[in-house]
């Protein structure tokens, strides 16, 4: 199956990561993507450079240490990174995100993997959709929409089954809005 980048003629795509290891892996697997090392808090691009930006697997790992709670998500850094996305988008440009959802058993699955020593992703915040929408709006974006995504096949079976059972429970108990929001991930789009 071809990606959008491979299918669309004339589309120029750039991959950005702060990790040289990740960039080297991306270079090996993607001949159609230019890759650049850079920081999401200070993007190495001029203002108004892009029509579309897609971010996945970044801001949910921004954290700080709190003396009482331990590691917690750093919302100020997240908003700063969103403002960088906003800056580099052309007028009416679109941004897209895929985020782990708080409306899922994903966090429970993460805790199990952490206990078993199998969690490989460090700190991760699973966002409530409403909260993530607010952070995007604070950064200046408008026309915000989201779509719930069920766990893909490469997710742990306990997440796939757990979310299905959770949706069934919410539907059986008349909590239809919660059933609609239940899913391992959500995709959010917004406009500059």
């Amino acid at each position: 199956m071809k990606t959008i980048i491979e299918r669309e003629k004339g589309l120029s795509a750039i991959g950005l990561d702060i990790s040289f290891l990740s960039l080297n892996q991306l270079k090996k697997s993607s001949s159609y993507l230019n890759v650049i090392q850079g920081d999401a808090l200070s993007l190495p691009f001029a203002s108004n450079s892009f029509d579309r930006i897609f971010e996945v697997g970044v801001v949910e790992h921004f954290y700080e240490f709190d003396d009482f709670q331990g590691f917690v998500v750093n919302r100020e850094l997240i908003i700063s990174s969103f403002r960088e996305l906003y800056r580099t988008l052309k007028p009416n440009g679109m941004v897209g995100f895929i985020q782990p959802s708080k409306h899922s058993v994903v966090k429970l699955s993460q805790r199990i993997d952490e206990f078993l020593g199998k969690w490989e992703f460090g700190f991760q915040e699973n966002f409530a959709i409403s909260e993530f929408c607010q952070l995007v709006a604070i950064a200046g974006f408008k026309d915000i929409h989201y779509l719930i995504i069920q766990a893909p096949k490469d997710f742990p079976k306990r997440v796939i089954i757990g979310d299905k059972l959770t949706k069934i429970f919410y539907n059986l108990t008349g909590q239809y809005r919660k059933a609609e929001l239940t899913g391992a991930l959500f995709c959010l789009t917004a406009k500059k």
Side-chain angles (χ1 to χ4, degrees), residues 118-132:
K118 295 182 178 181
W119 182 253
E120 302 173 354
F121 306 105
F123 175 85
Q124 177 176 302
E125 176 75 11
N126 302 322
F127 284 96
I129 296 166
S130 59
E131 178 188 14
F132 199 82

Side-chain angles (χ1 to χ4, degrees), residues 30-97:
S30 174
S31 61
Y32 53 85
L33 188 65
N34 298 318
V35 294
I36 296 173
Q37 194 275 336
D39 186 341
L41 298 171
S42 180
L43 293 172
F45 308 109
S47 297
N48 304 313
S49 293
F50 300 104
D51 296 308
R52 306 280 186 269
I53 296 176
F54 186 65
E55 182 263 277
V56 60
V58 179
V59 298
E60 65 268 24
H61 301 292
F62 287 3
Y63 65 89
E64 61 188 345
F65 187 79
D66 177 84
D67 288 335
F68 183 75
Q69 296 178 308
F71 294 106
V72 295
V73 67
N74 187 323
R75 287 167 178 78
E76 288 180 27
L77 283 182
I78 292 171
I79 293 167
S80 292
S81 74
F82 290 171
R83 287 184 173 139
E84 271 295 279
L85 296 176
Y86 189 92
R87 179 188 67 76
T88 58
L89 275 173
K90 292 178 181 176
N92 295 311
M94 298 283 293
V95 64
F97 302 91

Side-chain angles (χ1 to χ4, degrees), residues 81-147:
S81 74
F82 290 171
R83 287 184 173 139
E84 271 295 279
L85 296 176
Y86 189 92
R87 179 188 67 76
T88 58
L89 275 173
K90 292 178 181 176
N92 295 311
M94 298 283 293
V95 64
F97 302 91
I98 291 184
Q99 292 300 130
S101 178
K102 191 175 260 185
H103 312 297
S104 170
V105 298
V106 167
K107 190 67 173 181
L108 175 60
S109 179
Q110 177 183 336
R111 292 285 188 237
I112 292 168
D113 285 345
E114 287 171 349
F115 178 76
L116 297 173
K118 295 182 178 181
W119 182 253
E120 302 173 354
F121 306 105
F123 175 85
Q124 177 176 302
E125 176 75 11
N126 302 322
F127 284 96
I129 296 166
S130 59
E131 178 188 14
F132 199 82
C133 289
Q134 288 173 352
L135 296 173
V136 170
I138 289 169
F141 289 97
K142 59 186 178 190
D143 200 18
I144 300 168
H145 300 276
Y146 62 86
L147 176 69

